[in-house]
């Protein structure tokens, strides 16, 4: 039973950032910081053609579908193509008609290849089988062929002898030849190449390197790992090792929406039956980097582009260097294989054309939209196929005509884009003059549970409402009759996606914003297989074809996108260990230890010596420098008066004054055990998911 809460709408002003900067991994100093995108990009597959890199990713039930990004340096990307504008199946489910839907289905896990002078993108559509999209131009248009067959989550290899192989399956890995004209698989060729019981998972990426077949895959039983299998023959036998595990970059698993046991998720069901449980912040789960492809750059260096489950953002992409060890492509750097730096040197791509657009740090999408153009920006996607007769761009606004729907998740022609972290403020102007009785329009979050803020037209009254499915509650107030005094309202969602929470606000003037509803918990979930998605919607909850709503000046502000001041150059600061809460101290004895939380003596104060490209040396205020003797064991982190002996670290930025220090010499991290009482050492492989193993710090002044 819904509870309607009449709220006093106290003013709650959120200061706007003056910067229009969007998150980019490029730090502008020759380094990058993961994730590559602070928004969702699932199941990445990487391809290099000459000096160009292409990244294909999952789009599930949203259209346009099968997104393709382009880069010249593996760090800065741009959205250049989708393989199709809409699903070309007339089934009601692909268009949210007649209570049919494909949430958590649609098209996923693509494989992108280039051969015979054209691009190929393979993927699976639930219930329709294997699909292939081909084009001689990466920008399209793309030709669609339904290959059918039960091949999914696949990788494709165009072998030297002209044969085309598809690798697929979970646990029991299979190989099937494909017909050269892409009309379908050659069914009689299917063979098991890795039997069940060999600890191999899914999400395959097949390569032939120096005559050897390499298969990159990911497994979830009993925990997330990335594996590599290799063989001299495509048909096996294969040997398999783990090439990375437990690299979470210090992020714990997200809360995952739970459905009651034995109950199937139903669109619009009572959200109070959902559970969003507390997570074990020390567990890796599937937060570790996994599932993705590898690529060799022009200098000969290999890189892995893998995804990780990243809180309510969804799944994001990371870039990790590869070190070949005994013929295996191990993730990470010599001395610390299997782990990967959050911040590292950009690929040394010598032949990139030196144009400003290609070299200057930039985000993959233009997220804000004034709707003045003839087409929607590339960042936008529709929730299922749209009804094209019921939306338009006119007079500098987006018009959505209302169609019957009981709830946001059933609302057709809902326009969405990926939420951007770590924090962002999404604002839109809503014009309400064309709304009719029963119409509902506003700004929402397509997720499970969903939520929205908007206007509900009830006869002659306009009611401002904020609905949250998790509590099945609506906060509402009547703002005006239809006398023309109020024709628009500003709506806003303030998201803190690193901490899985958000709330809604509204304004009559676009300056003074008022909060409505509570701070809502957000989750990642395996129902839609997507993270949070800000959405513009309009529907009629009384079962009518109503009027219309218009939207203008959609803006996305990212207060934390500018990271230029995150490294505290020119400052003197204390270094607080997150595991103990105690500050670091330079002992007279010549070692680095910790001390009382209230100690602000000179020996607890440090400064950075800039070594360029994000690299620093650490100097105590008393003039001594931190260096590492021996193998970096406890007590090997010491102090010297000679700057030439100072250890050079790569600063690993964790935002909010948090960081790690990775030795450029050994690729291990500075840290101190929170339990043994030993002094600092340089033998930590990285952060644990809770950032409480002693290798993550916070600086304060």
């Amino acid at each position: 039973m819904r509870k309607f809460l009449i709220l006093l709408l106290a003013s709650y002003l959120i200061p706007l950032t003056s910067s229009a900067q969007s998150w980019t991994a490029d730090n502008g100093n020759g380094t990058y910081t993961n994730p590559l995108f602070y928004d969702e990009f699932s199941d990445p597959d990487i391809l290099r053609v000459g000096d160009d890199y292409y990244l294909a990713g999952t789009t599930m039930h949203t259209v346009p579908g099968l997104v393709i990004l382009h880069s010249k340096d593996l760090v800065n990307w741009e959205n250049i193509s989708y393989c199709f504008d809409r699903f070309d199946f007339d089934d009601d489910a692909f268009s949210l008609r007649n209570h049919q839907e494909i949430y958590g289905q649609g098209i996923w896990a693509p494989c992108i290849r280039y051969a015979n002078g054209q691009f190929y993108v393979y993927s699976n559509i639930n219930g329709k089988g294997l699909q292939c999209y081909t084009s001689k131009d990466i920008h399209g248009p793309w030709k669609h062929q339904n290959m059918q067959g039960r091949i999914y989550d696949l990788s494709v290899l165009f072998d030297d002898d002209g044969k085309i192989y598809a690798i697929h399956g979970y646990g029991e890995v299979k190989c099937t030849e494909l017909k050269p004209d892409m009309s379908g698989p050659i069914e009689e060729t299917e063979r098991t190449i890795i039997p069940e019981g060999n600890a191999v998972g899914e999400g395959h990426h097949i390569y032939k390197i120096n005559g050897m077949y390499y298969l990159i895959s990911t497994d979830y039983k009993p925990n997330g790992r990335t594996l590599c299998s290799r063989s001299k023959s495509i048909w096996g036998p294969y040997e398999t090792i783990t090439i990375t595990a437990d690299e979470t970059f210090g992020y714990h698993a997200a809360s995952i929406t739970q459905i009651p046991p034995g109950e199937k998720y139903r669109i619009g069901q009572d959200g109070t039956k959902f559970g969003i449980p507390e997570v074990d912040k020390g567990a890796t789960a599937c937060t570790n980097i996994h599932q993705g492809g590898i690529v060799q750059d022009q200098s000969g260096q290999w890189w892995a582009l893998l995804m990780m489950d990243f809180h309510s953002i969804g799944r994001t992409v990371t870039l990790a260097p590869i070190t070949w060890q005994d013929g295996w492509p191990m993730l990470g750097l010599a001395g610390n294989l299997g782990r990967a730096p959050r911040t590292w040197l950009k690929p040394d791509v010598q032949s990139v054309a030196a144009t400003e657009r290609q070299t200057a740090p930039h985000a993959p999408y233009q997220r804000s939209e004034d709707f003045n153009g003839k087409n929607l920006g590339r960042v936008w996607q529709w929730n299922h196929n749209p009804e094209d007769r019921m939306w338009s761009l006119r007079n500098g606004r987006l018009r959505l005509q209302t169609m019957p729907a009981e709830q946001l998740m059933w609302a057709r022609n809902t326009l969405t884009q990926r939420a951007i972290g770590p924090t962002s403020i999404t604002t839109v102007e809503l014009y309400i003059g064309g709304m009719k009785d029963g119409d509902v329009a506003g700004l929402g979050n397509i997720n499970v549970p969903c939520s929205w803020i908007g206007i509900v037209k009830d006869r002659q009254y306009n009611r401002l409402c904020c609905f949250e499915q998790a509590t099945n509650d609506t906060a509402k107030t009547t703002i005006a009759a239809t006398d023309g005094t109020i024709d628009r309202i500003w709506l806003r969602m303030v998201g803190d996606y690193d901490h899985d929470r958000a709330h809604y606000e509204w304004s009559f003037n676009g300056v003074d914003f008022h909060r409505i509803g509570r701070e809502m918990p957000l989750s990642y979930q395996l129902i839609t297989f997507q993270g949070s998605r800000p959405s513009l919607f309009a529907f009629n909850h009384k079962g009518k074809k109503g009027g219309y709503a218009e939207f203008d000046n959609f803006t996305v502000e990212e207060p934390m996108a500018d990271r230029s001041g995150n490294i505290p150059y020119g400052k003197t600061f204390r270094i607080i260990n997150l595991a103990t809460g105690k500050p670091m101290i330079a002992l007279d004895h010549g070692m680095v230890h910790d001390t009382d939380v209230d100690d602000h003596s000179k020996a607890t104060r440090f400064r950075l010596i800039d070594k360029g490209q994000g690299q620093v040396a650490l100097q105590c205020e008393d003039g001594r420098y931190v260096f590492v003797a021996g193998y970096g064991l406890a007590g090997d982190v010491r102090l010297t008066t000679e700057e030439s002996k100072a250890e050079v670290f790569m600063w690993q930025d964790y935002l909010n004054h948090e960081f790690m220090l990775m030795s450029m010499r050994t690729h291990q991290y500075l840290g101190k055990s929170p339990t043994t009482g030993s002094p600092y050492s340089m033998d930590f492989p990285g952060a644990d998911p809770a950032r409480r193993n002693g290798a993550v710090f916070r600086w304060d002044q």
Side-chain angles (χ1 to χ4, degrees), residues 348-639:
D348 183 17
V349 183
Q350 300 294 336
S351 57
V352 172
T355 66
E356 181 179 354
R357 180 58 177 162
Q358 290 167 339
T359 58
H362 62 270
Y365 309 101
Q366 173 61 47
R367 305 180 195 281
S368 297
E369 173 77 82
D370 59 14
F371 300 112
N372 289 335
K374 295 182 179 180
N375 300 298
L376 293 168
R378 289 186 180 276
V379 72
W380 292 108
Q381 293 178 289
W382 296 100
N383 179 19
H384 293 65
N385 282 340
E387 180 65 58
D388 288 330
R389 298 179 298 105
M390 303 297 285
W391 75 274
S392 59
L393 293 172
R394 59 174 66 192
N395 302 320
R397 298 177 189 169
L398 167 69
R399 176 176 290 191
L400 298 180
Q401 296 176 247
T402 61
M403 291 177 280
E406 303 96 287
Q407 192 245 25
L408 171 61
M409 300 291 282
W410 282 116
R412 301 181 65 193
N413 283 11
T414 296
L415 193 62
T416 78
Q417 62 173 260
R418 306 156 184 86
I420 176 72
T423 62
S424 58
I425 303 166
T426 301
T427 308
V428 70
E429 293 178 36
L430 170 64
Y431 288 79
I432 62 179
M435 295 176 66
K436 295 182 179 180
D437 180 46
D439 284 351
V440 185
L443 172 67
N445 179 22
I446 293 285
N447 204 330
V448 178
C450 68
S451 63
W452 54 263
I453 182 175
I455 297 297
V456 178
K457 186 78 169 184
D458 185 7
R459 292 167 297 179
Q460 75 270 32
Y461 296 103
N462 295 316
R463 289 193 170 90
L464 175 69
C465 295
C466 178
F467 171 70
E468 184 185 355
Q469 188 184 18
T471 57
N472 225 38
D473 287 348
T474 302
K476 70 173 186 176
T477 187
T478 302
I479 59 171
T482 54
D483 56 7
T485 57
I486 296 175
D487 68 339
R488 66 174 169 172
I489 189 169
W490 281 258
L491 306 175
R492 171 175 287 178
M493 182 169 74
V494 181
D496 180 354
Y497 300 102
D498 262 10
H499 297 96
D500 298 324
R501 60 195 182 202
H503 67 262
Y504 290 111
E505 300 174 0
W506 65 277
S507 172
F508 282 142
N509 58 18
V511 176
D512 303 302
F513 279 84
H514 312 271
R515 181 163 163 175
I516 183 171
R518 68 166 183 157
E519 190 80 12
M520 301 172 294
L522 301 176
S523 76
Y524 179 62
Q525 36 75 40
L526 303 181
I527 300 167
T528 69
F529 273 93
Q530 289 185 331
S532 299
R533 295 182 71 93
S535 306
L536 305 179
F537 67 89
F539 63 92
N540 188 285
H541 77 103
K542 293 185 178 180
K544 306 175 183 178
K545 284 189 176 181
Y548 62 85
E550 293 186 323
F551 299 85
D552 200 2
N553 297 322
F554 180 93
T555 62
V556 180
E557 299 167 89
E558 301 176 47
M560 299 178 71
D562 182 0
R563 306 193 306 281
S564 59
N566 285 15
I567 304 178
Y569 294 122
K571 295 180 172 68
T572 302
F573 52 87
R574 294 196 310 164
I575 298 175
I576 311 299
N577 193 306
L578 292 189
T580 63
K582 294 182 178 181
M584 180 186 293
I585 187 169
L587 297 176
D588 291 340
H589 191 50
M591 294 187 298
V592 180
H593 198 43
D594 60 16
T595 185
D596 185 79
V597 293
D598 297 322
D599 189 343
H600 290 266
S601 65
K602 182 180 291 188
T604 68
R605 306 198 66 79
F606 296 85
R607 64 175 65 93
L608 299 178
I609 307 299
D610 186 0
K611 297 294 184 178
Q613 291 189 300
Q615 299 167 65
V616 298
L618 193 61
Q619 184 184 30
C620 182
E621 194 174 37
D622 66 14
R624 293 179 293 168
Y625 300 89
V626 173
F627 82 105
V628 179
Y631 296 97
L633 302 181
D636 279 349
V637 180
R638 300 180 187 168
L639 297 143

Side-chain angles (χ1 to χ4, degrees), residues 210-282:
N210 297 328
M212 183 75 75
Y213 295 89
Y214 288 88
L215 179 62
I216 310 296
S217 61
T218 191
D219 191 24
Y220 306 99
K221 297 180 181 179
N223 207 5
R225 307 177 319 287
T226 298
L227 310 157
C228 180
S229 306
R230 69 182 184 186
S231 174
K232 293 180 180 179
S233 167
I234 189 72
W235 304 108
Y238 286 83
E239 55 180 331
T240 300
I241 70 167
T242 299
I243 59 174
T244 183
D246 294 330
E247 185 54 79
T248 70
F249 299 117
Y251 286 87
H252 60 76
S255 298
I256 296 180
T257 302
Q258 303 294 311
I259 305 299
E263 186 169 325
K264 187 179 185 296
Y265 172 70
R266 304 184 310 280
I267 300 299
Q269 76 183 84
D270 183 348
T272 61
K273 294 182 179 180
F274 297 154
I276 305 179
E278 289 292 323
V279 298
D280 180 355
K281 294 184 178 181

